[in-house]
Amino acid sequence: MEILRYTDAHKDFRARLRDFMDREVVPHIGQWETDHQVSRDVWRKMGREGFLCTALPDTYGGLGGDFRYAVIVIEEISRTNHGGLAAPLHSDIVVPYISSYGDEAQKDKYLPGCASGDIVTAVAMTEPGAGSDLSSMTTTAEDDGRQVVLNGAKTFISNGVLCDLVIVAAKDPAEPNPHQAISLYLVEDGTPGFKKGNQLDKMGLHSQDTAELFFTDCRIPQENRLGDKGMGFLMLMDKLQQERLVCAVMGVAAAEFMLDWTMTYCKATTHGGRPLSRSQAVQFELVEMTTEVKLGRTFVDKLVVDHVEGCNIIIDTSMAKYWCTELGSRVAGRCLDLVGESGSPETCPLVRALRDARVMSIFAGTNEIMKGIAAKFMGL
Ligand SMILES: Cc1cc2nc3c(=O)[nH]c(=O)nc-3n(C[C@H](O)[C@H](O)[C@H](O)COP(=O)(O)OP(=O)(O)OC[C@H]3O[C@@H](n4cnc5c(N)ncnc54)[C@H](O)[C@@H]3O)c2cc1C
């Protein structure tokens, strides 16, 4: 029985997106991996064809679609075996802060550009000395009565080079309670005092532009605060359920890609005159991995249904983020072992898949933090 049902409109959207990926993404991945960023152009093309910000109402240029459209985008990007095009981060993680907490003026100013791909967004929480424990961030936001002045540094910011708009989490130094000190601010690229640092050369997601961001007496209008002052921490927590679900779907979709590729390889490759897939040891590996991937798929599909229905699934999404991203890494390692030396050249799709899957346990809250959240909400 199918847990997650798609309508004809969803299916048509997936078919159009798959065609788009084959035309506009797949041919460029090699170059993007070398450049360490995707092209500006692909963002605009995605926007023009209606593949960005699918949840936004059509008044802002979105589809007004449910979260199943977001899942389709994540899955179709995963099918291209490249995680550099951070459209899900933009559409389903960053832009929802603006659509949920922005005032009408902020929404009118930014959301149409976010949907069209003319505005690429990023969210900057992490600092060189503050990752999991966001309350220890040191970037400050001081209101001098006319403007807000930002000072500090952020690191590992996805879309950090291409972004036109960053949501920056910063603290009011006058507020002693760290959880009540954080607010979120909209900072446009080109604002004096805002500088993008070097692109980080990292282990996975090579075509994802991840960068440091610096704020030095960076003055922004008071109207650029998102939501109420001091509510930043709660706003971040509120949006993490969807962020973690996005990661869980990414983990399962990546595992499905790798398993599918390896299954085909094992059927097509002969050793001693017979296909690898005829060896019982290989069969057992493939059967075990298929079982795990099906478990992951069943789990995330159920959570997507719950999320679309508006259920509070914080415990389950925390579990799914850690388990499904670990599934991606586990499957990557086991597939590589089956393929053997043919899996080691850079040209083997498993190499990039393994690198990209591995890093998923770190972002959007590390997998240890996920277990901590689950434990807390389970009352342990
Ligand atoms: C590819 C990539 C993209 C990223 N994109 C963004 C982005 O767009 N925006 C952004 O703001 N950040 C981003 N990050 C940063 C990411 O969110 C942080 O790396 C993450 O929150 C962990 O922080 P940290 O690396 O400082 O590790 P730390 O918090 O220093 O943790 C180090 C280790 O200690 C463990 N640990 C820490 N605290 C606890 C605890 N309480 N209980 C148990 N274990 C604990 C962690 O699990 C980890 O194993 C990105 C990171 C990567 C790798």
Side-chain angles (χ1 to χ4, degrees):
M1 194 188 82
E2 269 178 66
I3 297 170
L4 177 55
R5 296 229 169 88
Y6 290 102
T7 64
D8 287 344
H10 289 109
K11 289 175 189 163
D12 175 60
F13 178 84
R14 188 189 289 277
R16 287 193 299 107
L17 180 56
R18 187 167 293 190
D19 175 61
F20 176 88
M21 289 290 152
D22 289 342
R23 271 186 294 115
E24 304 289 352
V25 171
V26 174
H28 305 290
I29 293 173
Q31 188 60 48
W32 294 344
E33 291 276 300
T34 307
D35 295 347
H36 282 226
Q37 65 181 55
V38 303
S39 69
R40 259 326 292 208
D41 206 32
V42 74
W43 282 96
R44 294 208 181 90
K45 285 181 175 164
M46 274 195 89
R48 270 204 300 275
E49 299 211 21
F51 299 130
L52 294 177
C53 304
T54 50
L56 282 183
D58 63 359
T59 39
Y60 297 117
L63 258 184
D66 60 35
F67 187 68
R68 286 175 292 181
Y69 286 95
V71 171
I72 292 170
V73 176
I74 297 165
E75 289 175 350
E76 292 305 313
I77 291 178
S78 297
R79 200 182 142 267
T80 69
N81 188 28
H82 122 275
L85 179 57
L89 169 77
H90 167 82
S91 302
D92 311 312
I93 295 172
V94 189
V95 172
Y97 285 107
I98 306 174
S99 52
S100 298
Y101 302 114
D103 57 31
E104 285 314 311
Q106 290 167 337
K107 290 186 198 177
D108 288 343
K109 185 172 180 189
Y110 296 118
L111 292 181
C114 293
S116 69
D118 292 309
I119 296 178
V120 174
T121 60
V123 60
M125 301 175 265
T126 307
E127 299 182 358
S132 303
D133 179 14
L134 285 179
S135 68
S136 65
M137 71 173 62
T138 57
T139 296
T140 54
E142 288 178 271
D143 194 330
D144 71 0
R146 288 176 303 122
Q147 289 173 308
V148 176
V149 188
L150 298 174
N151 277 293
K154 298 289 178 178
T155 193
F156 274 98
I157 306 307
S158 305
N159 291 343
V161 175
L162 285 173
C163 63
D164 306 286
L165 182 68
V166 193
I167 297 179
V168 180
K171 260 181 181 168
D172 174 2
E175 170 56 59
N177 182 333
H179 293 101
Q180 289 169 11
I182 298 173
S183 300
L184 303 184
Y185 298 92
L186 293 159
V187 182
E188 295 178 18
D189 185 25
T191 306
F194 168 33
K195 191 167 164 290
K196 295 173 178 175
N198 289 332
Q199 185 127 302
L200 299 172
D201 194 5
K202 56 193 189 307
M203 183 197 101
L205 301 175
H206 284 179
S207 46
Q208 164 53 229
D209 53 309
T210 310
E212 296 172 294
L213 305 179
F214 301 101
F215 303 90
T216 311
D217 290 331
C218 173
R219 294 181 163 272
I220 56 169
Q222 288 168 318
E223 309 84 83
N224 280 27
R225 197 187 64 232
L226 200 53
D228 291 334
K229 193 166 181 205
M231 294 301 284
F233 195 80
L234 286 180
M235 285 151 68
L236 290 170
M237 295 305 118
D238 182 46
K239 289 289 170 211
L240 287 176
Q241 171 166 305
Q242 179 153 311
E243 179 169 355
R244 284 158 191 169
L245 190 48
V246 166
C247 293
V249 175
M250 279 166 59
V252 172
E256 286 172 341
F257 169 84
M258 291 181 270
L259 183 57
D260 191 45
W261 189 90
T262 305
M263 197 91 79
T264 306
Y265 178 91
C266 291
K267 284 181 190 164
T269 307
T270 51
H271 267 215
R274 62 178 198 151
L276 277 178
S277 59
R278 298 302 303 158
S279 142
Q280 193 183 55
V282 172
Q283 288 174 349
F284 283 11
E285 278 290 309
L286 290 172
V287 168
E288 282 176 26
M289 280 194 278
T290 305
T291 310
E292 282 202 55
V293 169
K294 278 177 183 279
L295 285 169
R297 170 53 63 190
T298 309
F299 192 15
V300 292
D301 279 2
K302 165 78 170 62
L303 294 184
V304 170
V305 172
D306 290 347
H307 186 63
V308 169
E309 286 175 2
C311 305
N312 179 342
I313 44 170
I314 186 145
I315 297 174
D316 289 11
T317 46
S318 305
M319 290 173 173
K321 194 274 173 179
Y322 98 73
W323 196 85
C324 296
T325 57
E326 279 175 12
L327 172 73
S329 287
R330 210 162 45 242
V331 167
R334 291 177 82 174
C335 285
L336 209 62
D337 284 337
L338 286 185
V339 172
E341 64 181 11
S342 305
S344 71
E346 201 45 52
T347 47
C348 175
L350 288 180
V351 175
R352 185 162 71 224
L354 178 138
R355 276 200 303 255
D356 289 1
R358 184 61 191 86
V359 80
M360 290 182 199
S361 62
I362 300 170
F363 55 54
T366 67
N367 285 1
E368 292 75 26
I369 293 294
M370 292 306 104
K371 292 172 198 173
I373 292 171
K376 180 175 158 202
F377 283 90
M378 285 162 70
L380 300 177

